[in-house]
């Protein structure tokens, strides 16, 4: 089969690799019909090299058609249409039963001290082959895949793999009071969808912050009060307080994470770690790694006293400095973590209708063949060609 594989910093390639095979009775194999490129994939493209091997198959946002099922699969049949969550979760353990699928005890990576395995996402999370490929082996065929109906285009359902549940959890964790206010930092795929969900769930004001004109324009059309970081810079907190009687918003969603702009010395350090030999680079990241914290610092400034910060952007630093005095004094609440995809599916599925209240049918800005995957990574990383969300078609 053809698959998009990692070979080094900013070096991904489409290659011919062996087809996946069933390994357990409850495995299935799907033929991928659509697969997204996620902002988290850019972390692999840029700085996570110490945790990858050449040839690793990337991608964690796939859907497709069941091609083969193991002898123990009773909930699916060949030909069924399914979306695959990015968490590799069993659905039956203590953590899954409590709705914490990203902490699944069956697939936890205990040697790495990390949570549940993820498709296409490094040795830290199980080094499971990803979904930017023609075929994908999916374990836990009775409990993990999400069966969806025939008829509507893939765009209606594919975001159940990551974008929708991640954005939904970001809003849930933000604990926006009824008719309350929220600032969303970063209007890429997750931030843009989180803003739509917050509005759908009744927020009276959603402020969106970014520095990419196309993202700001799109959010404005969605009903978001868009603020251009290039204009406001370090005064972004004041700009938000001007909109909220001097208080700040009830909640802030950080949908940026380690990709935040600013802190050039930290950016240089991250780049340098990515160039070290894997064993050395991994140790450096695990012991003294730091992130660019511009977005998180902004969130702490913007949120009102007694408010909530919800982190959906990925951070990876082991020694990030936090202004705990300010956080304590402002009496902030902080919630974060990988999305527990299956926890939110029942809330989201009823919204994936022809009425399309969240605008999923037109959410993708680019549809490209798998063979153009390397160019799509390059364009997405550079924030060019108005690219906000890309779906690859194997």
């Amino acid at each position: 089969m053809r698959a998009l594989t990692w070979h080094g910093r900013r070096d991904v390639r489409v290659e011919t690799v062996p087809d996946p095979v069933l390994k357990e009775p409850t495995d299935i194999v799907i033929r991928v019909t659509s697969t997204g490129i996620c902002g988290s994939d850019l972390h692999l493209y840029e700085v996570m090299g110490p945790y990858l091997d050449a040839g690793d198959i990337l991608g964690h946002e796939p859907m497709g058609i069941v091609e083969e099922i193991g002898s123990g699969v009773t909930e699916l049949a060949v030909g069924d249409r399914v979306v695959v969550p990015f968490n590799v979760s069993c659905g039956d353990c203590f953590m899954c039963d409590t709705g914490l699928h990203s902490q699944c005890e069956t697939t936890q990576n205990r040697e790495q001290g990390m949570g549940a395995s993820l498709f296409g996402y490094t040795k830290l999370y199980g080094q499971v082959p990803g979904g930017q490929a023609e075929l994908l082996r999916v374990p836990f065929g009775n409990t993990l895949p999400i069966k969806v109906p025939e008829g509507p285009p893939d765009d209606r359902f594919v975001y159940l793999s990551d974008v929708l549940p991640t954005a939904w959890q970001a809003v849930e964790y933000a604990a926006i009071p009824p008719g309350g206010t929220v600032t969303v930092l970063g209007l890429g795929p997750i931030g843009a969808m989180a803003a739509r969900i917050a509005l759908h769930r009744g927020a009276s004001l959603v402020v969106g912050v970014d520095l990419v004109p196309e993202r700001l324009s799109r959010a404005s059309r969605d009903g978001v009060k868009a603020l251009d970081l290039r204009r406001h810079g370090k005064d972004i907190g004041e700009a938000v307080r001007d909109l909220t009687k001097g208080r700040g918003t009830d909640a802030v969603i950080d949908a940026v994470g380690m990709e935040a702009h600013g802190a050039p010395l930290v950016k240089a350090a991250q780049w340098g770690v990515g160039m070290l030999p894997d064993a050395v680079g991994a140790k450096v990241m695990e012991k003294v790694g730091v992130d660019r914290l511009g977005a998180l610092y902004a969130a702490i400034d913007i949120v009102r006293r007694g408010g909530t910060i919800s982190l959906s952007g990925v951070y990876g630093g082991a020694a990030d400095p936090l202004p705990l005095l300010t956080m304590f004094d402002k009496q902030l609440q902080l919630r974060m973590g990988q999305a527990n995809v299956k926890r939110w599916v029942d809330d989201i599925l009823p919204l994936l209708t022809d009425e399309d209240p969240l605008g999923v049918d037109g959410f993708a800005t680019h549809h490209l063949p798998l063979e153009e995957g390397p160019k799509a990574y390059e364009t997405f990383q550079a924030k060019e060609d108005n690219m906000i969300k890309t779906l690859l078609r194997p």
Side-chain angles (χ1 to χ4, degrees), residues 37-271:
I37 298 178
C38 179
S40 296
D41 290 327
L42 297 183
H43 304 327
L44 312 184
Y45 194 62
E46 285 282 353
V47 299
M48 299 297 286
Y51 300 106
L52 290 156
D53 290 331
D56 280 355
I57 300 172
L58 304 181
H60 57 269
E61 298 186 350
M63 70 173 291
I65 306 299
V66 177
E67 287 267 306
E68 189 177 0
I69 63 173
S71 60
V73 175
T74 58
E75 300 300 312
L76 293 172
V78 172
D80 283 346
R81 189 185 192 196
V82 297
V83 178
V84 180
F86 75 91
N87 318 120
V88 184
S89 58
C90 71
D92 295 318
C93 69
F94 171 84
M95 288 295 179
C96 289
D97 285 344
T98 58
L100 293 171
H101 299 84
S102 66
Q103 310 301 325
C104 173
E105 291 182 328
T106 304
T107 71
Q108 271 183 24
N109 292 276
R110 293 176 175 83
E111 291 185 2
Q112 300 286 351
M114 306 299 281
S117 293
L118 309 177
F119 285 101
Y121 215 80
T122 82
K123 299 173 188 175
L124 291 174
Y125 291 102
Q127 207 167 22
V128 182
Q132 290 171 0
E134 292 179 325
L135 298 168
L136 175 68
R137 170 186 166 264
V138 181
F140 310 114
N142 290 319
T143 55
L144 180 58
I146 303 163
K147 186 176 177 180
V148 296
E150 297 296 330
D154 281 7
D155 292 47
R156 179 77 55 88
F157 302 112
V158 67
Y159 305 116
L160 283 169
S161 60
D162 183 353
V163 173
L164 282 167
T166 297
W168 192 275
Q169 179 172 295
V171 174
E172 186 76 18
Y173 281 10
I176 307 163
T181 60
V182 62
T183 298
V184 179
L185 301 178
L187 295 170
I190 301 302
M193 186 57 72
R196 294 181 182 188
I197 290 169
L199 287 167
H200 173 77
R201 293 176 60 168
S204 62
L205 173 67
V206 177
V207 181
V209 179
D210 209 297
L211 43 64
V212 180
E214 295 80 13
R215 295 181 177 188
L216 293 163
S217 297
R218 188 186 209 198
S220 293
R221 294 193 296 271
D222 292 338
V224 173
K225 176 62 177 179
L227 297 181
D228 191 336
L229 191 61
R230 297 171 302 171
R231 174 186 172 190
H232 296 284
K234 294 181 179 180
D235 296 325
I236 190 66
E238 289 300 321
V240 175
R241 283 186 283 275
D242 287 343
L243 299 171
T244 54
K245 299 181 180 179
R247 295 191 189 99
T249 47
D250 297 313
V252 176
I253 295 171
D254 175 358
V256 179
M258 69 170 70
E259 291 297 315
H261 287 259
L265 292 178
V266 176
K267 180 178 181 180
Q270 287 180 337
W271 186 87

Side-chain angles (χ1 to χ4, degrees), residues 304-308 325-334:
R304 69 160 169 81
R305 291 179 177 274
T308 302
L325 172 62
T326 300
M327 296 167 70
F328 181 84
D329 179 66
K330 290 186 73 172
Q331 201 168 331
L332 303 185
Q333 300 179 77
L334 183 63

Side-chain angles (χ1 to χ4, degrees), residues 321-393:
L322 295 177
L324 290 174
L325 172 62
T326 300
M327 296 167 70
F328 181 84
D329 179 66
K330 290 186 73 172
Q331 201 168 331
L332 303 185
Q333 300 179 77
L334 183 63
R335 293 201 71 181
M336 67 187 83
Q338 300 277 7
N340 305 296
V341 173
K342 294 283 285 201
R343 166 66 180 82
W344 310 113
V345 168
D346 289 344
D347 295 314
I348 298 168
L349 263 175
L351 302 176
L352 304 184
T353 63
D354 288 344
E355 287 73 27
D356 195 17
L358 300 180
V360 294
D361 287 354
F363 191 64
T365 55
H366 292 69
H367 295 85
L368 299 170
L370 181 68
E371 296 294 331
E372 294 185 26
K375 179 61 177 176
Y377 267 77
E378 180 183 348
T379 303
F380 189 31
Q381 192 277 335
K383 298 180 174 66
E384 295 175 344
D385 193 32
N386 298 341
M387 183 178 284
I388 299 175
K389 187 61 183 179
T390 295
L391 294 178
L392 301 177
R393 307 292 203 200

